Amino acid sequence: MKQPDGIYEISNDEIKYWTAQFYKFTKNFCEPNSALSIAAAHRWLQVQEGEERKKILIIITGSNISSSMQKTILHGEFLKCTSSN
């Protein structure tokens, strides 16, 4: 059985940041749980060593985000948040 390469604790601010980043780049909203996966993948890729190219798959879903959260993301300052702790 394979063991995970790591476990990352992602803050609420990071989830909001990556939700906003995803929207900025795609003009589509993703669910906060998808943004959590994006944040963890970003952090994991930052600590990879060597020249071997890594591949990662993240499944993005977007139907479970409320209109109030969409407005919060669009009008918030979340892109100014740091994306790693």
Side-chain angles (χ1 to χ4, degrees):
M1 185 166 146
K2 283 186 125 183
Q3 296 297 314
D5 289 335
I7 296 174
Y8 298 96
E9 185 175 315
I10 306 300
S11 70
N12 284 334
D13 285 343
E14 288 177 279
I15 293 169
K16 292 173 187 173
Y17 171 86
W18 285 104
T19 302
Q21 279 286 47
F22 187 82
Y23 181 80
K24 177 183 172 185
F25 291 124
T26 68
K27 301 300 183 231
N28 291 296
F29 281 102
C30 66
E31 293 182 22
N33 283 336
S34 291
L36 182 132
S37 299
I38 295 167
H42 180 261
R43 199 172 305 162
W44 179 77
L45 288 169
Q46 287 181 317
V47 299
Q48 297 306 301
E49 296 178 3
E51 295 184 24
E52 182 183 339
R53 188 168 176 91
K54 304 289 181 175
K55 292 182 180 180
I56 190 165
L57 171 68
I58 303 171
I59 298 173
I60 305 295
T61 56
S63 63
N64 193 18
I65 185 169
S66 68
S67 59
S68 63
M69 179 56 82
Q70 289 177 357
K71 289 176 186 174
T72 299
I73 296 297
L74 285 176
H75 300 293
E77 298 288 323
F78 299 114
L79 290 174
K80 294 180 182 178
C81 296
T82 182
S83 63
S84 62
N85 289 337

